[in-house]
Amino acid sequence: MLSKLRHAREAYQENREGGDHPGGNWITPGENGKIAFAPTRPDGQQLVIGGQSVTFWEADTLGPMLDAFEAAINAGELDPQLTGPTPAGHSLPLERLVRASSS
């Protein structure tokens, strides 16, 4: 997960298409100038944040949000979505990422 997140950050920062490496498609330009964030499990299934498989962020909040997402990975907060055959029934609270991106 951390490797995919690192690759996604690099692809976004270098403004290149992400399909050529793990995690590259996690971050893509969305509509209205917002950035779409759609992380996946190692098996390719979407992770859920705030009940959604895709969340949208202002460009200036993306870095802090990704830092918060990394902290959530390290703290084991995504573990319920990573174990078992599907992430169904689990969601990382959106507030966990919003709090960090607005500070």
Side-chain angles (χ1 to χ4, degrees), residues 2-70:
L2 293 173
S3 174
K4 288 176 89 172
L5 178 59
R6 182 174 39 82
H7 287 299
R9 277 185 197 251
E10 290 170 359
Y12 175 73
Q13 291 169 343
E14 295 171 7
N15 197 29
R16 60 185 157 102
E17 294 296 321
D20 61 340
H21 57 79
N25 292 324
W26 283 17
I27 304 170
T28 55
E31 296 181 21
N32 301 326
K34 292 194 175 190
I35 309 299
F37 181 60
T40 57
R41 293 171 20 137
D43 64 6
Q45 294 183 65
Q46 292 294 139
L47 291 172
V48 182
I49 300 170
Q52 304 292 316
S53 59
V54 179
T55 55
F56 294 90
W57 303 88
E58 298 291 338
D60 62 342
T61 64
L62 186 67
M65 182 280 295
L66 293 175
D67 293 340
F69 187 74
E70 183 174 347

